[in-house]
């Protein structure tokens, strides 16, 4: 049996797709080369914006139609956030689906498939009680891996569907996380990214679940302690984590980022808006000034730190003035990278009850303006790196031009360089930046530059 997993959405989805792939491979399934030779196709979905769902639904419609015509025995199923959000309505939207698996049921994919093969399609499992510790498998061969540490989300940002579809926050035991990292290093992984919606909340007491049970107590390892434990794993070269929140930028966390050698000078710190009234209505839990303080402390303690962010444009009631404040704030902080999203009302969230009063054209314009600012800003940031040394995790021949090699800096920038004798994939080397674009640093072996 050959399977294919197609992923939409965030890094957590990328991680979930990998974990279910590893699970299926352990059951004897083989990875298909593409859609044409797949007996089972699973689409992993995202609900964060309407467009992400529309894309997945469109793709599913095409796949089901193609399967009916050309691969009558093929099973097409869906997993993840959209399944959790839509439940049985999913099967009305896309008749012919084999199964749907929610965000808390992914480890039961092999069982669900079994039921489908027994003729029970469509099978829906949006139940909870999934065991996160059953989803720790990885597909071998990568230098860099994602590791879930905190599932779910306890924040209540007024625009966001994630808490509805991903459930309560749940910290995995620190020992399991460290074991997973150790195993990854054994498979050749050099860099891990620790994942959580609000990753710095890691280690708070877990909810007692199921109700009344004492077995599911808390794992109270504060996040900076977990970073120390992961940093101490022999052979790990780089540690990253995402996503951050200003409230988590405590002195302990900043110290851990400054002092732990493997922890990279890079943090994704979603800001969403640079205007206080908007932040308040988003219920983000910080003011512009609090965000500014967090960023300044990090920038002072971690020289060269690259901060990236998420911004929503066109949130209900966002005026031109609010938008201009966001624009100025992004410049003030000097974000190294920014993901800009047009606000999309998600039914069931508080903001969806408010008038979506910024027109789509205006959202598009604001999006474009911020993107152009960002390109200009990162060009300037990169220019300042010319003549400096960067540490590069070597990935091997570049995809575009195999005569050149590429890798990533600790700040997560793509670095392109001529192959260097004796330097292999997986090595970390110091290179000298010679020229830059907004997306790439071009570097040479530091010997030549020394
Ligand atoms: N509309 C637009 N963007 C959203 N995001 C989350 N919810 C919405 C929404 N309803 C963005 C936020 C978040 C990122 C993952 O997606 O910027 O940080
Ligand atoms: Fe990830 Fe959120 Fe999209 Fe779910 S809804 S896939 S958690 S971005």
């Amino acid at each position: 049996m050959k399977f294919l997993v197609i992923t939409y959405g965030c890094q957590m989805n990328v991680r979930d797709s990998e974990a279910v792939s590893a699970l299926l491979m352990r059951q004897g399934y083989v990875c298909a080369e593409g859609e044409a030779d797949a007996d089972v196709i699973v689409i992993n979905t995202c609900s964060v914006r309407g467009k992400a769902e529309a894309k997945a639904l469109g793709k599913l419609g095409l796949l089901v139609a193609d399967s009916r015509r050309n691969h009558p025995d093929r099973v097409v199923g869906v997993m993840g956030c959209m399944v959790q959000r839509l439940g049985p309505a999913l099967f009305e939207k896309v008749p012919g689906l084999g199964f749907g698996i929610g965000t808390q049921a992914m480890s039961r994919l092999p069982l669900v498939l079994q039921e489908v093969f027994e003729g029970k399609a469509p099978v829906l499992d949006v139940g909870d009680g999934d065991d996160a510790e059953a989803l720790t498998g990885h597909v071998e061969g990568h230098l860099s891996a994602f590791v879930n540490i905190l599932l779910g989300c306890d924040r209540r940002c007024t625009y966001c569907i994630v808490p509805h579809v991903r459930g309560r926050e749940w910290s995995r035991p620190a020992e399991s996380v460290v074991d997973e990292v150790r195993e990854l290093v054994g498979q050749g992984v050099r860099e891990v990214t620790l994942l959580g919606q609000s990753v710095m909340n890691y280690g708070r007491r877990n909810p007692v679940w199921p109700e009344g049970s004492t077995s599911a107590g808390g794992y109270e390892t504060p996040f900076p302690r977990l970073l120390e434990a992961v940093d101490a794993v022999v052979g790990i070269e780089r540690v990253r984590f995402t996503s951050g929140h200003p409230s988590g930028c405590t002195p302990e966390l900043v110290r851990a980022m400054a002092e732990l050698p493997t922890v990279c000078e890079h943090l994704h710190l979603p800001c969403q808006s640079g205007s206080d009234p908007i932040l308040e209505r988003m219920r983000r839990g910080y003011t512009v000034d609090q965000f500014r303080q967090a960023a300044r402390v990090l920038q002072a303690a971690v020289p060269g730190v690259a901060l990236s962010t998420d911004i929503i444009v066109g949130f209900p009631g966002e005026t031109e003035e609010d938008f201009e404040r966001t624009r100025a704030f992004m410049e003030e902080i000097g974000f190294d990278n920014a993901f800009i999203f047009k606000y999309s009302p998600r039914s069931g969230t508080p903001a969806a009850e408010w008038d979506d009063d910024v027109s789509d054209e205006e959202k598009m314009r604001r999006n474009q303006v911020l993107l152009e600012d960002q390109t200009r800003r990162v060009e300037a940031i990169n220019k300042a790196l010319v003549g400096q040394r960067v540490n590069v995790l070597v990935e091997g021949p570049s995809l575009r031009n195999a005569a050149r090699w590429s890798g990533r800096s600790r700040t997560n920038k793509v670095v392109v360089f001529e192959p260097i004798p004796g330097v292999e994939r997986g090595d970390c080397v110091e290179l000298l930046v010679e020229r830059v674009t907004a997306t790439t640093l071009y570097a040479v072996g530091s010997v030549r530059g020394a």
Side-chain angles (χ1 to χ4, degrees), residues 62 90 130 155 203 218 240 251 353 372:
L62 290 175
L90 182 67
D130 195 10
R155 289 191 195 282
R240 306 181 190 277
E353 305 294 316
E372 283 164 19

Side-chain angles (χ1 to χ4, degrees), residues 26-52:
R26 273 213 304 275
Q27 305 271 328
Y29 288 83
V30 176
C31 205
E33 291 196 0
E35 286 169 19
D37 69 326
D39 304 300
V40 175
I41 300 183
V42 191
I43 300 227
N44 192 3
T45 54
C46 172
S47 289
V48 84
R49 283 170 291 278
K51 217 166 122 192

Side-chain angles (χ1 to χ4, degrees), residues 10 47-50 159-162 197 243 268 270-272 284 309-313 339-346 349:
C10 65
S47 289
V48 84
R49 283 170 291 278
Y159 51 80
C160 190
I161 196 73
V162 172
Q197 291 294 343
S243 290
H268 188 62
C271 153
Q272 315 296 0
R284 283 293 291 167
T309 201
D310 291 340
I311 301 282
I312 296 177
V313 291
F339 301 88
I340 326 274
F341 304 106
K342 292 189 291 173
Y343 169 69
S344 162
R346 307 311 292 137
T349 62

